[in-house]
Amino acid sequence: MTSNDPIPHGTERALCASSGFNLPALRGHNTALLLGLLRAAGADGVSRLELAERSGLTPQAVSKITARLRAEGLAADAGRRASTGGKPRTVWRLVPGARHAVGLHLDRDEIIAVLADLAGTPVAVRRAPLAFGAGAGAVLERVAEEVAAVRTRSSAPQVLGVGVACPGPLDHASGVLHRVTGAPHWDGFPLRDALAERLGLPVVVDKDTNAAALGLVGSAADGGAGSFAYLHLGTGLGAGLVLDGGLYRGPRTGAGEFGHQVVQWNGPPCGCGRRGCVEALCLAAVARGDLPGAARVLGVGAANLVELLDVDRVLLGGRTVRERPDVFVAGVADELAAQAAARGRTGPPVRVTTAAGGARAVADGAAQLVLGPLFGPRRQAAGTPPGGPA
Amino acid sequence: MTSNDPIPHGTERALCASSGFNLPALRGHNTALLLGLLRAAGADGVSRLELAERSGLTPQAVSKITARLRAEGLAADAGRRASTGGKPRTVWRLVPGARHAVGLHLDRDEIIAVLADLAGTPVAVRRAPLAFGAGAGAVLERVAEEVAAVRTRSSAPQVLGVGVACPGPLDHASGVLHRVTGAPHWDGFPLRDALAERLGLPVVVDKDTNAAALGLVGSAADGGAGSFAYLHLGTGLGAGLVLDGGLYRGPRTGAGEFGHQVVQWNGPPCGCGRRGCVEALCLAAVARGDLPGAARVLGVGAANLVELLDVDRVLLGGRTVRERPDVFVAGVADELAAQAAARGRTGPPVRVTTAAGGARAVADGAAQLVLGPLFGPRRQAAGTPPGGPA
DNA sequence: CCACTTAAGCAACGCTGTTGCCAAAGTGCA
DNA sequence: TGCACTTTGGCAACAGCGTTGCTTAAGTGG
């Protein structure tokens, strides 16, 4: 039994890169673009002419597209601006409740499920214990119950799909789990397809750190077309990378393995078989209660990452960070400042902050796995066009 | 005095991301896409139906676009395929000589200039000493002479622009140099605009390592929509990152600073002010004649990079590598294999090879700074669409 | 020689964003 | 209160994109 149509505006998708672009794809692209601008504007709203200016489309095209969005219930007008000597502008905003998505955070011992609206705001949250090491059948059953539970919380919202965040390693493209620590029977389990069939909904699977990073796109102050790294320090250490405004997963969903960056190659052995990994050094410091030391080690790894990827900001999250966020932010920021000074780098320093969302951050981000594609490809153009002479 | 029109098919450009897409942009996008497929096919050529299949466009659309390309002289038919029981397919190929671009490699003590055709093949090469530390005026004069020299080598080819590769740091977007070692008067020099005005041609500026990496896109065996890192070991150590098929520069053109990755944070001090940088360790090993040791250090840094970015392959280049390529390839490959084994990673190992092009690689890549945009955005879609149930 | 297969072009079409023009809805001065 | 002016936004006609339906071209195989 198929669900309500997941993607508005037809089945064609706005393919961005190595794919031919036809008329329906063009329509989808521009529609998604305006939806993204509407989302970015938030509750304040945007006028048609502002949308036209930001999108590069003509005001008339914006009028047509917003009219379609209104007809589909995705956008609505929200009052008017003050006049500047003529007819006042009509302000438009996204209708958050028009569509919803389920976000699931499957951790080793618990499951967090959220039902998020188009703005990403959770309208229902559930948190329950989960034996991830148990059989796949039992886990799927549990997951289905939680999904059904959050779906009934709200008044029959149109659910586009389910985003699932797991500890990894896994393959995002195929939705197959590779390894689950302590539970070898999960190896190669096609989680996405199994869940999709069980739930009758589209399913997207990704690593927990990737989901968390995706959930942070646009939430940071500057509007977020830049690059940042989300560092997650909990039972392990991992990262999610947002480069040029888009989540970078790597060809095998293997990107972001930050924990086993070697920063002391003659250092103490790590469980991974190598020596001097950031994770080993960091967790050892945490174990002996030396949080500033752990922060400093994290800072060394973060400095390497900033050097290599030139990110705008570093966001810290995870259980351990949440215990003393001030210590970790200060420690990492100090290390980055020292590095920038040593390298003679000018300009504003890399901002280090804690990630918003707390314990629910991963589940919120998982919902974005489904919601994100509605709002257009968040990636800048690959190259800058050659500027003409004078 | 403006030059011949740099971009074929009108002034509109196929903007990929946060920009509205109108009809001319759509046309440009698909045209560039087919040009890219023609370039990828090389001298073998491609049939219309193969182009249709690879692009996702209909055969009729391909017919129309190839007809336009032929009219502009950019494509031509090159014989026919063997029949499979019906009319044989017409084979199309790019006409490499239809357009050209100049690539410049400005190093500390020499300049290499190439005139490359659409296929990236150099049709003229010049190599001359250059005192980069001298005044800007003298350098510009010298550069203009070399550009004029390579342009006159060929029979008045249509030159689209000039790509310039420098040691960095610099800003690609604005074309401004930040620092040149030993020559503070270059700080903040607007190289792109100054050269563009001097030459009357569009100019693009980028770091030497970025240019080299760009020149390697698609040259590697697999057709190259994946990710790779180019590691350059010469007088210094740097990297160029190609992620999801596109060059990643970072918001300030700062990405790829691989040399000052710390792999031994209590190690020997580096000139940059920190300790245990890959560059310091590596060059120290080279200085004492221990090339295998240098390769091993490079391998540790490469392993960190592979962990973090999940690249498909690592390409090695630069003067030091070219002295003993076998030693460096083996050393880095060993280190990556050890890491993969320790981490229990399955699947094919990361391929380590030397980069093609030799001493001219950077200049060839610099020409790609201009040529690349003609062949469409080489970037995969940001997210995989949610697969429907069953 | 003829039936069949495959490739490529012509013409009509649907749909996109764009353009030109006019109505709607305010401000501000007389 | 009224009129001139400014600004917004919709209607209708339009150019141009890729698509579709069909025809012609150019081969193979019995």
Side-chain angles (χ1 to χ4, degrees), chain B residues 59-81:
Chain B
Q60 183 62 30
V62 173
S63 275
K64 284 187 178 179
I65 295 171
T66 49
R68 280 203 303 264
L69 290 177
R70 179 174 52 191
E72 298 182 60
L74 290 163
D77 52 55
R80 328 200 125 174
R81 283 277 161 73

Side-chain angles (χ1 to χ4, degrees), chain B residues 154-176:
Chain B
S154 188
S155 51
Q158 198 170 348
V159 174
L160 301 176
V162 179
V164 184
C166 305
L170 51 82
D171 183 53
H172 163 76
S174 63
V176 170

Side-chain angles (χ1 to χ4, degrees), chain A residues 13 16-23 26 29-30 33 54-55 57 172-173 179 196 200-204 227 241 243-244 247-258 260-266 272-274 297 300 303-305 307-312 339 342-344 377 379-389, chain B residues 13 16-23 26 29-30 33 54-55 57 172-173 179 196 200-204 227 241 243-244 247-258 260-266 272-274 297 300 303-305 307-312 339 342-344 377 379-389:
Chain A
R13 290 180 49 77
C16 182
S18 41
S19 223
F21 229 159
N22 56 14
L23 235 45
L26 181 144
H29 174 91
N30 287 339
L33 180 65
R54 292 177 200 176
S55 66
L57 298 172
H172 164 75
R179 279 200 315 277
L201 281 174
V203 171
V204 186
S227 300
L241 305 176
L243 307 180
D244 286 343
L247 182 64
Y248 176 71
R249 296 186 172 96
R252 287 159 294 273
T253 327
E257 290 300 320
F258 179 71
H260 298 284
Q261 298 279 295
V262 172
V263 293
Q264 191 182 1
W265 74 321
N266 55 355
C272 80
R274 301 168 78 206
V297 174
V300 171
N304 278 356
L305 192 150
E307 278 281 304
L308 190 65
L309 297 178
D310 186 30
V311 296
D312 292 306
Q339 171 221 33
R343 299 277 282 139
R379 236 178 224 289
Q380 292 176 329
T384 308
Chain B
R13 290 181 48 79
C16 183
S18 39
S19 222
F21 229 156
N22 56 13
L23 235 45
L26 182 145
H29 174 92
N30 287 339
L33 181 65
R54 292 178 201 175
S55 66
L57 297 173
H172 163 76
R179 276 201 314 277
L201 282 173
V203 172
V204 186
S227 299
L241 305 176
L243 306 180
D244 287 343
L247 182 63
Y248 176 71
R249 297 185 172 95
R252 287 159 293 275
T253 327
E257 291 299 322
F258 179 71
H260 297 285
Q261 297 280 296
V262 171
V263 294
Q264 192 181 1
W265 74 322
N266 54 354
C272 80
R274 300 168 78 206
V297 173
V300 172
N304 277 357
L305 191 150
E307 278 279 303
L308 189 66
L309 297 178
D310 187 29
V311 295
D312 292 308
Q339 171 221 34
R343 297 277 283 140
R379 238 179 223 290
Q380 294 177 327
T384 308

